[in-house]
Amino acid sequence: MDTERTNVGTVADLHASASRITGLDDFGGDEHREGLAVLLESYERDALLTPRGSKVARAFLRGALISRLLSESAWRAHPEHADVPIDRPIFVTGLPRTGTTALHRLLTEDPAHQGLELWLTEVPRPRPPRSTWAADPVFQGIQAGYDQHHVEHPEFMGLHYTSAEQVEECWQLLRQSAMSISYECFAYLPTYSAWLAEQDWTTAYRRHRRNLQLIGLPDADRRWVLKNPSHLFALDALLEIYPDALIIQTHRSPRTAIASVASLTEQATAGWSEVFHGEVVGRTQLELWSRGLDAFTAERAKHDPARFFDVDYADFVADPIGTVESIYDHFGLEMTQAARAAMTELHTASTSGGRRPAHRYTLDDFGLTAADVDARFANAAGGA
């Protein structure tokens, strides 16, 4: 039985398991298989996973294949998705822990916008009316998993609150193509990292777009607002698939961002690996995200500056609504009274009560110094 496994598995048995669970067998082509094979090789060769870590990784990979199967099935059931326009979508990106989540959630409060709710990344389908979600058995099952996570890891909720109905990062859709920086954030995977760094992301973003067309089918008149720090690694591919995209880049001292993301990573993966902790987490996350920012900075220079808007973390914290108004002004968007009221209400709720962040970390915890970080980010915009 899968629950008794202490290894991640093989390409074949992961596909078979996903098919057994869903009753579906059309994975929509083979372009994901190379990445999945490299990923499994890297787990076996590099990651030194514990039994718990192996089971988590297996569930993570199988979940991506389940989502892929469900997308293929839903695309066949709703062929009209192919005609859904995605006009001037907004993408929020930047180093992790630079305000991307808070800004993304504010922007999606605008009634004219839509975001990508977490549960629909796991079970892609046309977005049902929100009033039906609480009674949906699939939604209930996914939310129950997050409720249990909050009980078992209450400190993590203070770092990054997660629930099934919450808008979340769109890397969940890229997982369907076995191309995601997330894997490198959850395990020590240098073999996979080296492979992914050489890949063209265009096919993965094409599938990403089709999933947005499907999920947003009932809301085709609303602008998509998406968020993902890993867009740093694939700007050219993103703009090839979304040629009229509007890009917001957040900025914060890399010293702070790297220390914070290392801390978040270690807490999220505690007990999963014999090697992925402390200095290994620090070193890998510094290398990963500095490389991503280098790539983004180089590719951004090739595109129209008017397509981009920069947000400084300190400015955003000091005046979040004013920051959003500046974004709207820059891109020629209308800030309605309804949008302003909704954003103000969310901001007030997010800075009070049980969700107030409480996060302490230092570079020393991960074998890094300020000089290490400064040197690695010396050539990128937004340095220390």
Side-chain angles (χ1 to χ4, degrees):
M1 295 176 60
D2 288 344
T3 55
E4 296 173 346
R5 280 186 173 273
T6 56
N7 68 315
V8 180
T10 67
V11 171
D13 78 66
L14 282 166
H15 280 79
S17 182
S19 289
R20 284 195 301 272
I21 290 169
T22 60
L24 303 169
D25 60 9
D26 182 0
F27 289 91
D30 295 333
E31 85 284 348
H32 66 292
R33 289 179 178 266
E34 179 184 355
L36 181 57
V38 175
L39 189 52
L40 289 171
E41 177 189 357
S42 195
Y43 277 124
E44 181 68 23
R45 174 187 296 175
D46 308 320
L48 290 180
L49 297 177
T50 64
R52 180 185 176 196
S54 295
K55 291 178 182 179
V56 170
R58 180 175 174 80
F60 196 48
L61 297 185
R62 183 174 56 193
L65 292 174
I66 288 171
S67 295
R68 186 179 176 96
L69 285 167
L70 294 174
S71 289
E72 294 292 336
S73 178
W75 289 336
R76 289 192 300 273
H78 302 279
E80 67 274 22
H81 82 276
D83 298 322
V84 173
I86 299 182
D87 296 326
R88 300 186 79 205
I90 297 172
F91 287 83
V92 179
T93 194
L95 292 177
R97 315 302 291 169
T98 59
T100 56
T101 297
L103 177 58
H104 176 227
R105 290 176 180 174
L106 274 185
L107 291 169
T108 56
E109 285 299 295
D110 187 333
H113 293 165
Q114 60 180 314
L116 186 60
E117 293 87 2
L118 183 54
W119 78 290
L120 294 174
T121 70
E122 298 190 32
V123 287
R125 63 178 69 177
R127 184 184 292 110
R130 187 173 288 268
S131 61
T132 68
W133 293 6
D136 187 311
V138 175
F139 176 86
Q140 291 173 354
I142 294 172
Q143 182 57 48
Y146 288 106
D147 289 342
Q148 183 62 32
H149 177 75
H150 294 164
V151 170
E152 295 176 354
H153 304 283
E155 73 289 344
F156 189 84
M157 185 169 64
L159 306 183
H160 186 86
Y161 184 85
T162 305
S163 61
E165 81 280 0
Q166 185 67 264
V167 293
E168 261 299 337
E169 297 179 351
C170 53
W171 61 260
Q172 301 273 0
L173 299 180
L174 297 171
R175 282 198 305 144
Q176 291 190 12
S177 301
M179 293 181 63
S180 176
I181 299 301
S182 64
Y183 298 115
E184 299 173 67
C185 296
F186 294 143
Y188 179 58
L189 298 170
T191 301
Y192 177 76
S193 300
W195 175 85
L196 186 59
E198 299 300 320
Q199 301 308 302
D200 179 349
W201 291 73
T202 306
T203 300
Y205 274 94
R206 187 171 293 115
R207 189 176 186 90
H208 179 283
R209 184 185 180 102
R210 286 192 69 189
N211 272 295
L212 296 187
Q213 290 176 299
L214 172 71
I215 294 167
L217 184 60
D219 302 290
D221 59 336
R222 297 165 64 200
R223 182 191 311 276
W224 276 101
V225 181
L226 301 145
K227 169 250 180 171
N228 187 353
S230 73
H231 293 316
L232 292 175
F233 297 81
L235 179 62
D236 283 347
L238 186 158
L239 290 176
E240 180 172 341
I241 301 302
Y242 298 98
D244 59 352
L246 310 175
I247 313 295
I248 301 170
Q249 183 181 1
T250 56
H251 299 268
R252 190 182 189 185
S253 164
R255 296 180 185 178
T256 303
I258 293 300
S260 183
V261 75
S263 178
L264 181 68
T265 296
E266 185 158 76
Q267 291 204 36
T269 62
W272 294 1
S273 169
E274 296 176 10
V275 66
F276 195 60
H277 50 76
E279 292 186 8
V280 172
V281 167
R283 184 176 70 251
T284 58
Q285 298 311 295
L286 174 60
E287 169 58 27
L288 175 66
W289 293 109
S290 58
R291 176 163 50 85
L293 189 56
D294 284 345
F296 184 86
T297 301
E299 293 182 3
R300 173 174 170 169
K302 299 184 295 183
H303 298 283
D304 180 1
R307 303 278 298 280
F308 298 86
F309 187 83
D310 295 289
V311 171
D312 180 79
Y313 178 82
D315 293 342
F316 175 60
V317 171
D319 186 6
I321 305 303
T323 298
V324 172
E325 289 175 338
S326 296
I327 292 168
Y328 277 48
D329 288 344
H330 179 76
F331 291 132
L333 308 179
E334 180 186 4
M335 171 70 89
T336 64
Q337 285 298 114
R340 183 179 285 103
M343 292 179 192
T344 301
E345 181 179 353
L346 176 65
H347 173 63
T348 300
S350 67
T351 54
S352 62
R355 296 191 189 185
R356 183 183 297 275
H359 190 194
R360 296 178 178 86
Y361 47 83
T362 68
L363 289 170
D364 289 347
D365 296 335
F366 305 98
L368 299 174
T369 67
D372 294 332
V373 178
D374 292 351
R376 194 58 187 84
F377 283 92
N379 297 323

